[in-house]
Amino acid sequence: MAQSALLKSSIAKKYWMALTGLFLCLFLAGHLAGNLQLIFGDALQFNQYALFMTSNPAVKLLSYLTYFSILFHAVDGILLTIQNKKARPIGYAKSNPAANSGFASRNMAVLGTLILVFIVTHMVNFWAKMHFDKKMPVYATTVEMMGQKQDLYVTTSGTYIPVTQVAKDSKEAEEIGAQLYIDHGKDFYNTQAKIKVGEGYKDLHKITFDFFKSKAKLFGAIPNEGLVFTILYVLCMGVLAFHLWHGFQSAFQSLGINNKFTPAIKTFGKLFAVIVPILFAIIPLYIHFVK
Amino acid sequence: MASKKTININLKIWRQKNAKEKGSMETYKLDNVSTDSSFLEMLDQLNEQLVNERKEPVAFDHDCREGICGMCSLYINGRAHGPDTGITTCQLHMRMFNDGDTIYVEPWRSKAFPVIKDLVVDRSAFDRIQQAGGFVSVNTSGRTIDANATPVPKTDADKAFEAAACIGCGACVATCKNGSAMLFVGAKVSQYALLPQGRVEATERVLNMVRQMDEEGFGNCTNTGACEIECPKGISLENIARMNREYLKASLK
Ligand code: HEM
Ligand code: SF4
Ligand code: FES
């Protein structure tokens, strides 16, 4: 690596910003494709997808890369911003930055920090529930049998188990004499043998719909929290759009790519910056107002 | 634009006795400024007035007064070299201002460009970056190769020439929200990287110049593009990209 540390120099930091930023753009595209199933797919499809995303080894590798990218991008971005502030200890009495640069380009750190806050709350609301919440609802479908509605759990092997036969946990199973109970938030166990007989799907679909349709009071004071969450989500996508508006093409410049393809990269970046956040934002709007 | 031949203006100018002391913005009134005068001539007029009033004249940098030396600086009304593009402050005319205007005049603001006095800053950080690699070592033993004997593609020669137009004025640093010197360093790196004579030392050059740039305390480019717009010589952002490429190549060697 010759004399330069590929970590410490100003330009190297920019490479890392650009690489992690572009990787996060790829992640956004993938994440969006998954989320759109909330509109175009049914609940089972979405939950199957959610299970795949939390269990497939290749996806796991990608998800670790994503966590790493977010952390590295955020830490590096904050370090750069602190350095940049130090480079001008005394500011100008009068300055006119709008005369020579765009709003987004001047506010990447603020926009990024807002995105970080969003990512954390978003992960608490969905990712953490999916991964750690033992009380996640298990997906059940309703079918009509002989004129009667019946709720059935769907197992990952494609079989059905009537909801009425399954207790919430082993204790309840013994009390009410149910043959089966649920453990680990999704596994069906035989009450006598205590062995796993099947696996259900964690109902992330329901969690998502309940979240954006919730009529509960936020902090016990603000009515219709589902609407509040929807509005906040849409605003955050606006923030993301500004970050990408500058960020996408900026990453190529940081990596030293400025040539005859640059006008095309800039156009694509701006389309990406507008279209991706809009599509993300449509999903909670659709859930809250249409479904 | 002013249509009158002369205008009366208010000036808010940064005054600072020396590098140690704290400075402040001071207000001055200056009447009968010809709209045909340059900004520096207007400051000369102010200084005459100050000397007549037995006050300390305003110190500001200048030399060629024809846009080629890069000495004149000044952050005028929130913009490097004032409200016009593609010019230095000596090329800025008072016809760009109106009667009754209040004009802010401040020194370049950068940790790496400390104020020496009033509007004069120390730009020797640029010299040290140049000394770290902004040159081509030439053998002077008498076996020097004639420059024209080395073929250079026309497009490369043109790009090198455009990069070489940088006059080291520091407007890029002054205008950049991050106080980054990457347009300057990018221009200097590119000027040589594009020519066969410069390739020989290309690896060392970019590593050394960037290291010196970082040591001087300049900030990091976030590609806002402000420098390119305020640069009096129209140095393009392509030069920063080229420096980034050169640096990556050099780092991996
Ligand atoms: C999905 C999330 C995100 C994506 C897709 C993303 C994407 C990008 C891209 C492509 C760049 C341009 C890189 C460059 O100019 O070389 C960038 C820059 C930046 N990002 Fe992010 N980013 C995300 C989240 C964040 C977060 C959470 C922060 C936290 C503080 C952040 C802070 C910054 C900063 C400060 C810059 C400017 C850095 C510079 O130009 O030197 N970003 N981002
Ligand atoms: S790049 Fe332009 S603004 Fe920067 S020092 Fe050179 S001439 Fe001045
Ligand atoms: S005084 Fe030489 S460029 Fe202005």
Side-chain angles (χ1 to χ4, degrees):
Chain A
M1 271 199 267
Q3 306 166 13
S4 74
L6 263 186
L7 263 179
K8 281 210 330 249
S9 88
S10 52
I11 297 186
K13 284 211 192 77
K14 297 278 336 201
Y15 298 149
W16 286 109
M17 277 318 275
L19 289 173
T20 50
L22 285 179
F23 181 77
L24 289 175
C25 288
L26 274 180
F27 155 75
L28 283 181
H31 190 26
L32 176 63
N35 284 10
L36 283 174
Q37 296 179 62
L38 285 164
I39 296 182
F40 299 108
D42 59 20
L44 178 60
Q45 229 178 350
F46 182 77
N47 288 329
Q48 280 171 335
Y49 159 76
L51 176 64
F52 173 77
M53 293 307 281
T54 44
S55 57
N56 180 286
V59 175
K60 266 219 162 103
L61 187 71
L62 278 179
S63 68
Y64 287 125
L65 255 173
T66 308
Y67 307 145
F68 168 82
S69 290
I70 292 170
L71 283 177
F72 202 102
H73 187 88
V75 170
D76 206 22
I78 290 165
L79 287 178
L80 281 165
T81 307
I82 293 171
Q83 264 185 358
N84 293 345
K85 289 266 175 279
K86 281 196 191 145
R88 175 162 301 135
I90 303 172
Y92 292 106
K94 187 177 171 81
S95 68
N96 184 7
N100 52 37
S101 56
F103 169 84
S105 78
R106 281 180 274 121
N107 291 285
M108 290 300 276
V110 177
L111 296 167
T113 307
L114 289 174
I115 298 173
L116 188 63
V117 173
F118 168 78
I119 293 176
V120 171
T121 53
H122 187 73
M123 285 178 82
V124 168
N125 290 331
F126 301 106
W127 174 90
K129 278 192 190 146
M130 189 67 192
H131 280 80
F132 308 118
D133 191 355
K134 294 270 181 329
K135 294 202 195 70
M136 269 288 279
V138 178
Y139 172 69
T141 182
T142 308
V143 291
E144 281 237 0
M145 279 202 289
M146 293 174 277
Q148 274 202 322
K149 285 213 166 127
Q150 205 181 1
D151 290 335
L152 301 170
Y153 287 124
V154 182
T155 70
T156 53
S157 45
T159 57
Y160 295 88
I161 303 173
V163 170
T164 47
Q165 290 180 9
V166 186
K168 277 205 288 291
D169 49 37
S170 61
K171 214 165 117 239
E172 195 196 69
E174 272 159 36
E175 278 167 21
I176 62 171
Q179 279 182 16
L180 298 167
Y181 67 89
I182 295 177
D183 205 352
H184 309 123
K186 62 174 181 15
D187 296 334
F188 299 113
Y189 275 72
N190 181 294
T191 310
Q192 267 86 48
K194 298 230 177 314
I195 50 166
K196 182 173 161 183
V197 294
E199 196 177 324
Y201 292 100
K202 291 185 178 180
D203 202 349
L204 189 62
H205 186 270
K206 178 170 158 50
I207 293 281
T208 311
F209 273 62
D210 287 354
F211 184 81
F212 288 114
K213 294 183 83 72
S214 172
K215 294 271 184 275
K217 281 190 171 166
L218 184 61
F219 308 126
I222 309 162
N224 200 353
E225 62 172 20
L227 180 63
V228 177
F229 295 149
T230 304
I231 291 170
L232 283 176
Y233 191 99
V234 172
L235 288 178
C236 287
M237 290 306 108
V239 170
L240 179 64
F242 276 104
H243 197 75
L244 295 174
W245 183 262
H246 173 70
F248 193 93
Q249 53 83 28
S250 171
F252 288 86
Q253 166 80 4
S254 296
L255 292 170
I257 301 165
N258 187 334
N259 52 32
K260 62 174 190 276
F261 299 112
T262 299
I265 291 172
K266 285 192 173 168
T267 307
F268 181 84
K270 294 199 163 156
L271 288 174
F272 187 90
V274 173
I275 293 171
V276 168
I278 285 182
L279 288 177
F280 267 116
I282 283 176
I283 298 165
L285 289 171
Y286 172 81
I287 293 174
H288 186 85
F289 291 108
V290 182
K291 275 276 168 144
Chain B
M1 284 203 191
S3 50
K4 271 213 267 178
K5 284 293 267 182
T6 62
I7 54 175
N8 302 337
I9 52 172
N10 298 300
L11 291 156
K12 284 189 185 291
I13 300 181
W14 181 260
R15 301 305 306 264
Q16 183 172 341
K17 274 208 173 64
N18 53 47
K20 298 257 150 48
E21 237 147 293
K22 265 187 74 175
S24 61
M25 296 298 284
E26 302 293 334
T27 309
Y28 303 94
K29 239 186 103 49
L30 188 62
D31 291 343
N32 294 321
V33 178
S34 163
T35 50
D36 290 337
S37 66
S38 78
F39 200 84
L40 297 187
E41 284 164 341
M42 180 277 291
L43 287 179
D44 293 337
Q45 192 180 335
L46 171 72
N47 277 348
E48 260 170 56
Q49 179 178 314
L50 288 175
V51 169
N52 286 340
E53 293 169 0
R54 305 200 170 275
K55 289 184 186 150
E56 178 83 8
V58 179
F60 62 92
D61 263 328
H62 59 104
D63 189 3
C64 71
R65 297 213 179 193
E66 56 178 358
I68 52 168
C69 75
M71 254 336 252
C72 61
S73 46
L74 306 187
Y75 209 70
I76 300 161
N77 271 351
R79 292 185 68 183
H81 294 141
D84 206 346
T85 44
I87 54 151
T88 54
T89 296
C90 55
Q91 295 169 299
L92 176 67
H93 283 87
M94 293 311 293
R95 66 182 81 100
M96 292 298 291
F97 300 93
N98 294 307
D99 195 39
D101 274 3
T102 297
I103 306 170
Y104 283 73
V105 191
E106 298 174 74
W108 285 170
R109 293 292 189 196
S110 158
K111 186 175 162 234
F113 291 165
V115 172
I116 299 171
K117 184 177 174 156
D118 296 338
L119 302 170
V120 179
V121 298
D122 178 359
R123 281 172 279 185
S124 57
F126 271 12
D127 300 342
R128 289 187 290 276
I129 295 175
Q130 277 291 69
Q131 284 153 13
F135 51 79
V136 172
S137 306
V138 179
N139 185 348
T140 52
S141 63
R143 279 182 280 124
T144 335
I145 299 168
D146 183 81
N148 292 328
T150 312
V152 181
K154 174 77 170 121
T155 48
D156 288 355
D158 285 349
K159 281 188 174 161
F161 189 80
E162 278 163 24
C166 165
I167 52 178
C169 63
C172 43
V173 175
T175 199
C176 174
K177 82 180 236 302
N178 309 312
S180 168
M182 289 203 189
L183 194 65
F184 168 76
V185 183
K188 298 301 171 195
V189 165
S190 291
Q191 173 184 341
Y192 303 107
L194 284 158
L195 299 176
Q197 293 90 338
R199 287 305 326 165
V200 183
E201 294 160 301
T203 303
E204 297 291 293
R205 176 180 304 113
V206 68
L207 293 175
N208 290 338
M209 289 182 85
V210 169
R211 185 178 31 73
Q212 190 64 36
M213 170 181 85
D214 289 352
E215 274 172 19
E216 297 291 349
F218 291 107
N220 310 280
C221 174
T222 50
N223 307 327
T224 68
C227 53
E228 183 184 48
I229 289 176
E230 300 296 356
C231 172
K233 298 297 155 188
I235 302 293
S236 151
L237 287 182
E238 272 177 50
N239 293 293
I240 299 184
R242 186 174 298 102
M243 169 175 67
N244 293 352
R245 276 201 302 281
E246 288 287 322
Y247 191 83
L248 187 59
K249 264 195 278 175
S251 302
L252 297 173
K253 267 196 187 155

